């Protein structure tokens, strides 16, 4: 690679995406590279509108996230928010594939990933391969259209979420709680009871549940109850009060309040809505 920056070794390569969708309707890669770096490598910027994903093949890749140093090691992916001030570097040496992603709701969706699982995530075999495939597409100058390239990026994002959820040690605990909620939604359920069923304190359980599902236990239970209520509204002629009872709500007024809050209309109007 010509015009090497300090710390980037000669066999390194980087490439740029030839297309760029109009507006922010799609995801797209800005650039990608396969870098070999020594301890002189450091990047520090005020802003570069993208999220940087770095798959570490060897060594350690360090960066600052919310003022705290994080280090991704072999088999992990660093997620660096470059929309604000940021810095990344290696203390010893590093080899890895990297990808700058932009467009659509890039910052928001990766913020959700890091809020749940932290800025260093397990790559997983599939996610690592998908990132390298995106690098290869830019290296070959592949003529993929904007929709195809956006799909590839989104597939990588979805796989990163999936890999964290299935690999997390608490996934079995949360799955057990989810199964209980879906089976027992119609009766009073509390966080204390759910936590007790899986052998955790309420605070531990709530943190693990939200990390895995993206919702608090109560919000998840409410969603299950509302989904069941919608089914009853559409598939039966039961009165609203009976539906509220069968779906697990304390009373009819409580049900109507939460239904309107989520759907923007009362239950009876939803019943007559055309789908």
């Amino acid at each position: 690679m010509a015009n090497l920056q300090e710390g980037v070794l000669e066999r390194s390569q980087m490439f740029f995406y030839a297309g760029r969708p109009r507006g922010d309707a799609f995801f797209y890669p800005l650039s990608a590279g396969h870098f070999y770096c020594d301890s002189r490598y450091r990047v520090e910027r005020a802003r570069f509108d993208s999220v940087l994903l770095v798959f570490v093949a060897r060594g350690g890749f360090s960066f600052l996230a919310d003022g705290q140093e994080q280090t991704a090691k072999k088999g992990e992916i660093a997620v660096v928010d470059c929309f604000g001030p940021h810095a990344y570097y290696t203390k010893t040496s590093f080899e890895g594939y990297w990808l700058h992603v932009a467009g659509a709701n890039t910052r928001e969706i990766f913020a959700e990933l890091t809020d749940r699982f932290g800025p260093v995530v397990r790559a997983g075999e599939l996610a690592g391969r998908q990132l390298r495939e995106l690098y290869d597409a830019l290296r070959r100058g592949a003529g993929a259209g904007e929709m195809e390239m956006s799909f590839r990026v989104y597939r990588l994002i979805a796989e990163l979420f999936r890999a964290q959820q299935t690999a997390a040690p608490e996934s079995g605990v949360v799955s057990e709680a989810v199964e209980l909620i879906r089976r027992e939604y119609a009766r009073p359920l509390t966080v204390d009871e759910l936590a007790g069923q899986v052998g955790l304190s309420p605070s531990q359980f709530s943190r693990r549940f939200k990390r895995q599902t993206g919702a608090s236990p109560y919000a998840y239970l409410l969603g299950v109850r509302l989904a069941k209520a919608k089914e009853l509204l559409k598939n039966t002629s039961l009165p609203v009060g009976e539906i509220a009872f069968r779906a697990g709500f304390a009373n009819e007024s409580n049900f109507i309040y939460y239904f309107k809050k989520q759907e923007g209309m009362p239950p009876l109007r939803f019943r007559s809505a055309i789908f």
Side-chain angles (χ1 to χ4, degrees):
M1 186 176 90
N3 301 317
L4 292 173
Q5 66 193 69
E6 189 173 29
V8 179
L9 305 183
E10 238 178 81
R11 49 186 168 165
S12 301
Q13 292 184 302
M14 66 183 298
F15 304 94
F16 297 88
Y17 181 42
R20 181 163 179 165
R22 294 178 296 275
D24 286 329
F26 305 104
F27 295 105
Y28 54 91
L30 287 173
S31 55
H34 181 192
F35 271 14
Y36 298 83
C37 302
D38 63 24
S39 59
R40 296 171 299 157
Y41 177 66
R42 183 179 181 91
V43 174
E44 193 165 354
R45 282 187 293 238
R47 184 183 180 101
F48 187 74
D49 286 350
S50 69
V51 169
L52 171 65
L53 302 177
V54 182
F55 173 70
V56 180
R58 180 181 57 83
F61 177 88
S62 299
F63 61 104
L64 299 180
D66 295 326
Q68 300 294 315
E69 184 180 82
Q70 305 284 340
T71 299
K73 299 176 182 177
K74 182 178 179 179
E76 295 178 327
I77 289 180
V79 182
V80 186
D81 181 355
C82 298
F83 284 89
H86 57 281
Y88 48 88
Y89 44 91
T90 181
K91 294 181 177 180
T92 53
S93 63
F94 155 76
E95 178 198 350
Y97 293 86
W98 56 264
L99 179 73
H100 275 286
V101 178
N105 58 333
T106 301
R107 192 179 196 186
E108 292 76 13
I109 199 166
F110 280 107
E112 179 69 18
L113 179 72
T114 57
D115 284 348
R116 288 204 211 176
F117 307 110
V120 175
V121 298
R122 301 173 181 86
E125 182 180 347
L126 181 55
R129 185 168 72 246
Q130 288 171 342
L131 195 153
R132 291 192 299 271
E133 286 173 355
L134 278 159
Y135 160 78
D136 283 336
L138 269 64
R139 179 178 60 85
R140 296 191 311 270
E146 61 185 32
M147 289 290 289
E148 170 64 21
M149 196 60 78
S150 185
F151 172 73
R152 291 188 186 190
V153 173
Y154 188 80
R155 186 175 59 180
L156 170 59
I157 295 169
E159 177 56 28
L160 287 174
F161 274 93
R162 190 203 66 80
Q164 310 326 300
Q165 290 174 328
T166 56
E170 64 262 26
S171 59
V173 167
V174 173
S175 295
E176 184 179 342
V178 165
E179 185 179 344
L180 178 61
I181 289 172
R182 292 190 169 276
R183 188 175 64 245
E184 304 288 343
Y185 65 86
R187 68 174 181 84
L189 282 174
T190 65
V191 172
D192 286 356
E193 179 185 349
L194 291 168
Q197 288 284 339
V198 295
L200 295 173
S201 71
S203 59
Q204 287 177 316
F205 170 70
S206 294
R207 284 195 300 271
R208 293 187 180 190
F209 192 95
K210 186 166 186 178
R211 188 159 57 232
Q212 284 288 297
T213 67
S216 69
Y218 178 74
Y220 192 91
L221 172 61
L222 182 61
V224 170
R225 287 173 171 168
L226 287 170
K228 184 62 179 178
K230 292 175 191 176
E231 292 176 16
L232 292 171
L233 283 164
K234 282 298 185 182
N235 298 325
T236 76
S237 57
L238 290 169
V240 170
E242 179 64 19
I243 289 174
F245 171 75
R246 293 194 183 193
F249 290 89
N251 52 58
E252 183 176 341
S253 60
N254 179 261
F255 166 56
I256 292 172
Y257 169 80
Y258 282 111
F259 196 96
K260 287 176 68 177
K261 187 176 181 180
Q262 174 167 298
E263 298 301 319
M265 66 179 76
L268 289 179
R269 188 184 300 173
F270 178 88
R271 171 173 269 169
S272 62
I274 297 173
F275 286 82

